[in-house]
Each structure stands twice: as C-alpha cells, then as structure tokens.
C-alpha cells in the first residue's frame, strides 16, 4: 500500500515562507526608508547632545567670568568713549565705581520682586563731572510713596555692579513712559522720558549700605543666577540617540531571524517535495 505524501506547509498561508526569506520590492523600500529615518534621528539627537555639551562648557566659563568680575576690585565705570564697545559678554556684572551728583528730580520707580518682598527699584540719574549721566539703581523701596526717599546731596561716590539695559518691559507688561509705570530698567526709555542727554547705555546696581539714611533704599540685592541645565539636556538627547540605535538593532536582528526561519522552511519544503 502506497504512503500518502506529507503536506509541506501545514497550517501556514501559501507563500509565507518565500515572503519571510526574501522581501519583495515594496518591503525593501520600507526597510530603506526606516533605515534612513533611524539614521537621521540618531544623527540629529547626537548633534543636539553635542551642542548642549558645548553650551554647558560655555555656561561654566560664563559663570566663572562673572564671579571673577563681581569679586574683583572696583574699576572706573566706562566713559562715553567706551560705550559703543560694551556688551553683556564682556561687561555684565563688572564691579565699577563712579562719582557725581544725583538728580533726584528725575527719580524713577521700577516694579520689582525681591527677597524683601514686592516693591520698587529706586533709579536715580547720576550726573558725572564730564557731563555724562549714568542711571543708578540705588536699591529697593517697599512702596511707591518711597520715591520721596532722601537723596544724598553734593558729590557722592557709588560702588556697584554694571548692568546692561533691560529693554522692552517685564513679563506680559510693557513700560509706560507717559504714565511713569516701569517694569524693567530700560535705560534709553527712562532717560528719554526725562529728556536726559548723554546717558550711558548701562545702569549700576549700588552695593549694600551705600546710603545710610533711615528711609534710604536697600542696595546690594542683585541676584546673579544663570540656569544651567545643559548637562541634563545633553544626557537626554544622547539617551534618545541610544534608544534609536537600540531599537534599530533589535528590528534588524528580528528581521534577520525571521528571514532565516523563512529560508529554513523553504529548504524543508523543498526536501519534503523531493
């Protein structure tokens, strides 16, 4: 009695083995597109991580430079000849000194939130011997009526930190020169509202206890803070790059295993048919 032939593809769809063993043109296009996408993502994440590392070193150098400026001996504040070359990178938070006469008639209050609570910065123009004017943030006052705080008469010496003009206003609030409502220390706008001329493009935060009167503003409240999250960002981008590489490796491995199984099935089918 003759034996029955053994089925070669029991429980499997026709052509499944051939599809596993050799992907068609459409499958090759999909694989190529996925490979290109994975390469772009990997390169992009690595580039972003590298950029954050560079930003990290730049931020650390900036912090070190600022610390050196703040704690260095005071030098003369830049005069008109140097105003054009002043930049945040080279001059912000320089420890400077200057002398002149306050112009209290042009006192300006700028809204502020400090360690002492909410209130105002009292900004007063200081007329120097050469005729130029520098706005001095004399310190914090708790209420608007404090604009009448006593102002030292005659020649005064000011020691403090050079600050770059804060243009535009505060968060969601624009300065209003017409009504004298200020939310940022915008040197040009404040000087222009009082029709002052030859005004320095910076202001000076007076140091603590620069004035001794009972109602004097509280100086020395400058907050020097540089957010430095670049290391976290760099690790995040590099982690995403590794995830893309790991997923790509897993997909390639599984695809090879699937194709190997398909090839083995084809060989087994051919052997059964023979």
């Amino acid at each position: 009695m003759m034996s029955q032939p053994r089925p070669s593809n029991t429980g499997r769809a026709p052509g499944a083995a051939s599809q596993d063993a050799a992907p068609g043109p459409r499958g090759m296009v999909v694989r190529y597109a996925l490979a290109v996408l994975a390469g772009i993502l990997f390169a992009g994440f690595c580039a972003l991580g590298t950029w954050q590392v560079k930003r990290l070193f730049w931020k650390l150098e900036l912090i070190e430079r600022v610390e050196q400026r703040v704690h260095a001996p005071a030098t003369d504040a830049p005069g008109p000849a140097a105003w054009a070359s002043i930049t945040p990178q080279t001059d912000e938070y320089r420890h400077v000194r200057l002398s002149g006469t306050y112009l209290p008639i042009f006192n300006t209050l700028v809204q502020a939130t400090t360690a002492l609570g909410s209130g105002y910065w009292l900004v007063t123009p200081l007329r120097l011997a050469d005729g130029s004017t520098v706005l001095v943030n004399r310190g914090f006052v708790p209420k608007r009526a404090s604009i009448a705080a006593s102002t030292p008469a005659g020649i005064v010496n000011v020691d403090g930190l050079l600050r770059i003009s804060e243009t535009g206003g505060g968060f969601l609030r624009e300065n209003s020169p017409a009504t004298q409502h200020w939310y940022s220390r915008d040197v040009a706008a404040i000087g222009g509202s009082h029709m002052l001329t030859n005004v320095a493009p910076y202001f000076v935060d007076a140091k603590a206890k620069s004035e001794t009167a009972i109602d004097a503003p509280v100086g020395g409240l400058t907050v020097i803070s540089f957010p430095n999250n670049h290391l976290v960002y760099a690790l995040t981008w590099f982690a995403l790059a590794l995830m893309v590489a790991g997923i790509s490796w897993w997909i390639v491995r599984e695809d090879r295993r699937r194709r190997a199984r398909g090839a083995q099935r084809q060989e087994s089918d051919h052997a059964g048919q023979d």
Side-chain angles (χ1 to χ4, degrees), residues 93 108-112 114 120-123 135-139 163-170 175 182-190 201-206 221-223:
Y93 300 109
T108 301
L109 290 177
V110 180
Q111 190 166 10
T114 71
Y120 301 88
W121 297 123
L122 178 55
V123 178
L135 297 186
V136 176
N137 173 23
R138 294 163 56 196
R163 303 293 308 281
I164 303 300
S165 179
E166 301 169 343
T167 60
N175 292 325
W182 300 94
Y183 303 98
S184 72
R185 290 160 291 189
D186 188 331
V187 169
I190 292 174
Y202 59 86
F203 63 95
V204 173
D205 277 345
L221 298 179
T222 305
V223 176

Side-chain angles (χ1 to χ4, degrees), residues 100-108 122-126 136 138 146-156 158 210-217:
T101 305
Y102 277 129
L103 304 176
I105 190 175
F106 300 125
N107 278 346
T108 301
L122 178 55
V123 178
T124 306
L126 184 73
V136 176
R138 294 163 56 196
S146 297
I147 197 169
S150 62
T151 302
I155 301 296
V156 296
V158 178
S210 59
E211 299 181 32
T212 58
I214 296 177
D215 59 349

Side-chain angles (χ1 to χ4, degrees), residues 37-216:
L37 177 61
I40 292 174
L41 288 175
F42 180 80
F45 290 147
C46 286
L48 289 170
T50 302
W51 177 70
Q52 287 295 339
V53 171
K54 292 180 180 179
R55 292 283 294 175
L56 171 64
F57 285 107
W58 169 82
K59 184 64 67 67
L60 293 175
E61 291 175 358
L62 172 63
I63 293 172
E64 183 179 359
R65 288 199 306 270
V66 169
E67 285 294 322
Q68 291 175 351
R69 293 174 196 167
V70 170
H71 299 293
T75 58
D76 292 336
W83 289 353
S85 61
I86 292 176
T87 65
Q89 292 76 21
T90 59
D91 297 281
E92 184 86 75
Y93 300 109
R94 279 178 56 188
H95 188 191
V96 298
R97 60 173 178 262
L98 61 166
S99 62
T101 305
Y102 277 129
L103 304 176
I105 190 175
F106 300 125
N107 278 346
T108 301
L109 290 177
V110 180
Q111 190 166 10
T113 300
T114 71
L116 300 178
S118 297
Y120 301 88
W121 297 123
L122 178 55
V123 178
T124 306
L126 184 73
R127 180 63 52 82
L128 278 58
D130 63 1
S132 63
T133 301
V134 176
L135 297 186
V136 176
N137 173 23
R138 294 163 56 196
F140 173 80
V141 292
K143 53 187 177 180
R144 194 166 184 83
S146 297
I147 197 169
S150 62
T151 302
I155 301 296
V156 296
N157 297 314
V158 178
D159 190 344
L161 300 179
L162 185 151
R163 303 293 308 281
I164 303 300
S165 179
E166 301 169 343
T167 60
F171 179 67
L172 299 179
R173 291 185 174 183
E174 294 292 330
N175 292 325
S176 177
T179 60
Q180 287 297 297
H181 284 85
W182 300 94
Y183 303 98
S184 72
R185 290 160 291 189
D186 188 331
V187 169
I190 292 174
S193 72
H194 297 306
M195 293 183 290
L196 297 171
T197 58
N198 204 20
V199 180
Y202 59 86
F203 63 95
V204 173
D205 277 345
K207 70 175 185 179
K209 297 182 180 180
S210 59
E211 299 181 32
T212 58
I214 296 177
D215 59 349

